[in-house]
Short mmCIF file of all heavy atoms in Angstrom, two decimals:
data_model
loop_
_atom_site.label_atom_id
_atom_site.label_comp_id
_atom_site.label_asym_id
_atom_site.label_seq_id
_atom_site.Cartn_x
_atom_site.Cartn_y
_atom_site.Cartn_z
N ILE A 36 9.84 -121.70 4.55
CA ILE A 36 8.46 -121.28 4.85
C ILE A 36 8.35 -120.84 6.30
O ILE A 36 7.76 -119.80 6.61
CB ILE A 36 7.48 -122.44 4.58
CG1 ILE A 36 7.36 -122.69 3.07
CG2 ILE A 36 6.10 -122.13 5.17
CD1 ILE A 36 6.68 -121.58 2.30
N THR A 45 5.72 -110.23 10.57
CA THR A 45 6.32 -109.11 11.29
C THR A 45 6.31 -107.84 10.44
O THR A 45 5.97 -106.75 10.92
CB THR A 45 7.76 -109.44 11.72
OG1 THR A 45 7.74 -110.53 12.63
CG2 THR A 45 8.43 -108.25 12.38
N ILE A 58 0.35 -91.99 5.14
CA ILE A 58 1.20 -91.00 4.47
C ILE A 58 1.19 -91.23 2.96
O ILE A 58 1.03 -90.30 2.17
CB ILE A 58 2.64 -91.06 5.03
CG1 ILE A 58 2.67 -90.61 6.49
CG2 ILE A 58 3.59 -90.20 4.18
CD1 ILE A 58 4.02 -90.78 7.17
N LEU A 74 -4.91 -113.20 12.01
CA LEU A 74 -5.31 -114.57 12.35
C LEU A 74 -4.88 -115.55 11.27
O LEU A 74 -4.51 -116.70 11.58
CB LEU A 74 -6.83 -114.64 12.56
CG LEU A 74 -7.38 -116.02 12.92
CD1 LEU A 74 -6.73 -116.57 14.20
CD2 LEU A 74 -8.90 -115.97 13.10
N LEU A 80 0.67 -120.71 10.72
CA LEU A 80 1.88 -121.14 11.43
C LEU A 80 1.56 -122.17 12.51
O LEU A 80 2.42 -122.99 12.86
CB LEU A 80 2.57 -119.92 12.05
CG LEU A 80 3.25 -118.98 11.04
CD1 LEU A 80 3.69 -117.69 11.71
CD2 LEU A 80 4.42 -119.67 10.37
N SER A 91 4.07 -137.23 15.84
CA SER A 91 4.12 -136.75 14.45
C SER A 91 5.52 -136.26 14.11
O SER A 91 6.29 -135.86 14.99
CB SER A 91 3.11 -135.62 14.25
OG SER A 91 1.80 -136.07 14.52
N VAL A 175 -32.31 -123.98 34.51
CA VAL A 175 -31.64 -122.84 35.14
C VAL A 175 -30.69 -122.12 34.19
O VAL A 175 -30.43 -120.92 34.34
CB VAL A 175 -30.88 -123.30 36.41
CG1 VAL A 175 -29.69 -124.18 36.06
CG2 VAL A 175 -30.42 -122.10 37.23
N HIS A 189 -22.41 -114.54 13.95
CA HIS A 189 -21.92 -113.95 15.19
C HIS A 189 -20.47 -114.36 15.46
O HIS A 189 -19.63 -113.52 15.81
CB HIS A 189 -22.81 -114.42 16.35
CG HIS A 189 -22.67 -113.58 17.59
ND1 HIS A 189 -23.30 -112.36 17.74
CD2 HIS A 189 -21.96 -113.77 18.72
CE1 HIS A 189 -23.01 -111.86 18.92
NE2 HIS A 189 -22.19 -112.69 19.54
N LEU A 219 14.73 -106.72 21.68
CA LEU A 219 15.58 -106.27 22.79
C LEU A 219 16.45 -107.43 23.29
O LEU A 219 17.63 -107.25 23.61
CB LEU A 219 14.70 -105.72 23.91
CG LEU A 219 15.34 -104.72 24.88
CD1 LEU A 219 15.97 -103.55 24.14
CD2 LEU A 219 14.31 -104.21 25.87
N THR A 267 15.30 -117.89 30.32
CA THR A 267 16.28 -116.83 30.03
C THR A 267 17.15 -116.53 31.24
O THR A 267 18.38 -116.51 31.14
CB THR A 267 15.54 -115.54 29.60
OG1 THR A 267 14.73 -115.84 28.47
CG2 THR A 267 16.52 -114.46 29.22
N TYR A 443 23.13 -97.99 26.65
CA TYR A 443 22.44 -97.65 25.40
C TYR A 443 21.23 -98.55 25.14
O TYR A 443 20.34 -98.20 24.35
CB TYR A 443 23.42 -97.70 24.23
CG TYR A 443 23.94 -99.07 23.88
CD1 TYR A 443 23.33 -99.84 22.90
CD2 TYR A 443 25.08 -99.59 24.51
CE1 TYR A 443 23.82 -101.09 22.56
CE2 TYR A 443 25.57 -100.82 24.18
CZ TYR A 443 24.94 -101.58 23.22
OH TYR A 443 25.43 -102.84 22.89
N PRO A 447 15.77 -97.33 23.72
CA PRO A 447 14.43 -97.65 23.20
C PRO A 447 13.38 -97.78 24.30
O PRO A 447 12.21 -97.47 24.07
CB PRO A 447 14.64 -98.99 22.48
CG PRO A 447 15.91 -99.55 23.01
CD PRO A 447 16.75 -98.39 23.38
N TRP A 453 8.44 -92.56 26.95
CA TRP A 453 8.19 -91.18 26.57
C TRP A 453 6.95 -91.08 25.68
O TRP A 453 6.07 -90.24 25.88
CB TRP A 453 9.41 -90.60 25.84
CG TRP A 453 9.19 -89.19 25.37
CD1 TRP A 453 8.62 -88.79 24.21
CD2 TRP A 453 9.53 -87.99 26.08
NE1 TRP A 453 8.59 -87.42 24.13
CE2 TRP A 453 9.14 -86.90 25.27
CE3 TRP A 453 10.15 -87.74 27.31
CZ2 TRP A 453 9.32 -85.58 25.65
CZ3 TRP A 453 10.32 -86.42 27.69
CH2 TRP A 453 9.92 -85.35 26.87
N TRP A 468 7.39 -96.86 17.40
CA TRP A 468 8.53 -95.93 17.37
C TRP A 468 9.69 -96.46 18.21
O TRP A 468 10.86 -96.30 17.84
CB TRP A 468 8.11 -94.55 17.84
CG TRP A 468 7.26 -93.82 16.84
CD1 TRP A 468 5.97 -93.40 16.98
CD2 TRP A 468 7.64 -93.46 15.50
NE1 TRP A 468 5.52 -92.79 15.84
CE2 TRP A 468 6.53 -92.81 14.91
CE3 TRP A 468 8.80 -93.59 14.75
CZ2 TRP A 468 6.55 -92.31 13.60
CZ3 TRP A 468 8.83 -93.11 13.45
CH2 TRP A 468 7.72 -92.48 12.89
N THR A 522 -6.22 -115.57 21.56
CA THR A 522 -7.16 -114.45 21.58
C THR A 522 -8.33 -114.70 20.64
O THR A 522 -9.47 -114.30 20.93
CB THR A 522 -6.46 -113.13 21.20
OG1 THR A 522 -5.71 -113.32 19.99
CG2 THR A 522 -5.52 -112.68 22.30
N GLY A 756 -34.18 -101.71 43.72
CA GLY A 756 -34.85 -102.04 42.47
C GLY A 756 -35.29 -103.48 42.45
O GLY A 756 -35.24 -104.18 43.48
N LYS A 781 -27.05 -79.94 38.63
CA LYS A 781 -25.98 -80.93 38.70
C LYS A 781 -26.51 -82.34 38.45
O LYS A 781 -25.86 -83.15 37.76
CB LYS A 781 -25.28 -80.85 40.06
CG LYS A 781 -24.41 -79.61 40.22
CD LYS A 781 -23.66 -79.59 41.54
CE LYS A 781 -22.73 -78.38 41.63
NZ LYS A 781 -21.97 -78.34 42.89
#
Side-chain angles (χ1 to χ4, degrees):
I36 290 292
T45 296
I58 294 173
L74 180 58
L80 289 170
S91 300
V175 68
H189 197 81
L219 204 53
T267 303
Y443 68 94
W453 178 274
W468 287 118
T522 50
K781 288 184 176 180

